[in-house]
Amino acid sequence: MANPLTDFSNGLSSAVEKGGASTILVDARKRYPASGIAYADDLVLTADHVVTREDDIKVLLPDGKSVSATIAGRDPGSDLALLRLAEKSLTPAKTSDSVKVGQLVLALGRPNSAGMQASWGIVTAISGPTRTFRGGMLDEYVQTETTPYPGFSGGPLVNTEGEVLGLNTSGLTRGSSLTIPVKVAWRVAEALAKHGSVKRGYLGVRTQPVDVPDAARTALGREQTHGLLVLWLEEGGPAEKSGLLVGDILVAISGQPVGDADDLFSALNSESVGKAVAVEVLRGGRPETVSVTVGERQ
């Protein structure tokens, strides 16, 4: 007679083995090594905060082979860094963007040459967007009750099939670990592979949240309670060049309502840089649309 507990245990071990095939040891800091995920056959995605030196970076592959690596790109705001290996010897991770609250997951790490480590739990929350203390914005993040052992940052969160759901890091929140979902982490990794950095847009304004008057809401045709009052314009900046004025109330960018600084930050993503976007404002209580070419935040 089959033992369901044995089947369950064997299933978890199988998931660790499958996920471990693309889990890499990353030695790029003075303290103990961290972990990484095989993004391509010569690229490892890891947490930016575990890469504290730019030279003499080593990675240890699942087969025990040590390979030199260089920094292909990094994005401190999302705490992601991409390392390029001297040879194409990786098995890229199999991924899944299907994550649900209550789902059983495993956090994996390869923090030393002894091999894989793992902890398991359930997904407790899926949230976002949120601003990170490293000056970035995450569209989404996942929280779990897995244990983030030392050296797990940069390693994967996997499902019971061993598919990578995201990258674990303790470098985005103080005192806790979270997971950057695949659909966010892989998008950043793609930009890092192509450009070495992630572009972020800016308008050149200083704002503060204000209430949108009832009459203005009626004119806008939607129930939007807050906008952003423009207090200052950068001389020669994108907003000033496009005709925005001090006293305007920003209410939407490209049709996406903005009611606070996080909304504005999120709307000015990398895809908007260098492009003309429709900025909806209230000017004298009346809706107007101004075309603004988004600049690149330095």
Side-chain angles (χ1 to χ4, degrees):
M1 181 176 179
N3 185 329
L5 289 179
T6 300
D7 292 341
F8 176 68
S9 177
N10 289 338
L12 294 183
S13 295
S14 176
V16 172
E17 183 178 356
K18 291 176 182 177
S22 57
T23 301
I24 313 300
L25 181 150
V26 174
D27 184 3
R29 59 181 176 181
K30 291 182 179 180
R31 298 182 298 155
Y32 49 83
S35 303
I37 306 170
Y39 171 73
D41 57 9
D42 64 340
L43 294 171
V44 175
L45 185 63
T46 188
D48 182 69
H49 79 274
V50 307
V51 181
T52 60
R53 62 175 189 262
E54 297 189 358
D55 300 314
D56 192 30
I57 297 174
K58 301 287 186 182
V59 301
L60 187 69
L61 307 186
D63 63 4
K65 183 178 181 180
S66 179
V67 180
S68 297
T70 57
I71 298 174
R74 59 197 312 169
D75 180 43
S78 62
D79 193 33
L80 291 171
L82 196 65
L83 305 179
R84 189 179 302 278
L85 274 58
E87 58 184 65
K88 296 184 177 181
S89 53
L90 299 176
T91 300
K94 294 182 179 180
T95 64
S96 172
D97 60 5
S98 177
V99 185
K100 298 178 180 179
V101 173
Q103 179 178 350
L104 180 64
V105 290
L106 298 102
L108 306 183
R110 193 183 293 275
N112 57 57
S113 59
M116 291 296 299
Q117 295 183 15
S119 67
W120 67 289
I122 64 168
V123 174
T124 56
I126 301 172
S127 305
T130 186
R131 190 186 294 270
T132 72
F133 80 85
R134 293 169 67 91
M137 174 71 73
L138 281 183
D139 295 338
E140 186 177 287
Y141 64 92
V142 176
Q143 292 176 291
T144 72
E145 60 176 15
T146 58
T147 302
Y149 293 114
F152 268 37
S153 276
L157 184 77
V158 303
N159 60 19
T160 52
E161 296 298 321
E163 297 169 324
V164 174
L165 302 175
L167 180 144
N168 301 316
T169 176
S170 60
L172 286 175
T173 56
R174 301 184 189 277
S176 63
S177 180
L178 54 77
T179 301
I180 306 172
V182 158
K183 62 184 177 183
V184 177
W186 260 235
R187 184 175 69 240
V188 173
E190 182 180 9
L192 294 179
K194 290 180 179 179
H195 310 294
S197 62
V198 177
K199 295 181 179 180
R200 288 188 170 84
Y202 91 112
L203 298 182
V205 297
R206 289 178 188 160
T207 63
Q208 73 175 33
V210 293
D211 293 334
V212 174
D214 291 340
R217 289 183 215 170
T218 301
L220 286 173
R222 60 176 179 264
E223 285 298 318
Q224 182 172 344
T225 58
H226 291 85
L228 291 170
L229 175 66
V230 177
L231 303 174
W232 171 87
L233 294 167
E234 176 188 277
E235 185 176 352
E240 186 189 61
K241 285 181 179 179
S242 302
L244 285 179
L245 303 173
V246 171
D248 284 344
I249 299 176
L250 306 181
V251 290
I253 295 178
S254 298
Q256 177 180 334
V258 292
D260 57 33
D262 286 350
D263 290 342
L264 181 61
F265 196 96
S266 179
L268 300 175
N269 54 37
S270 59
E271 289 78 14
S272 69
V273 175
K275 296 180 181 179
V277 299
V279 178
E280 294 179 51
V281 302
L282 293 173
R283 182 172 292 172
R286 296 181 179 180
E288 292 193 23
T289 300
V290 180
S291 179
V292 180
T293 300
V294 178
E296 182 177 354
R297 186 185 302 275
Q298 300 300 316

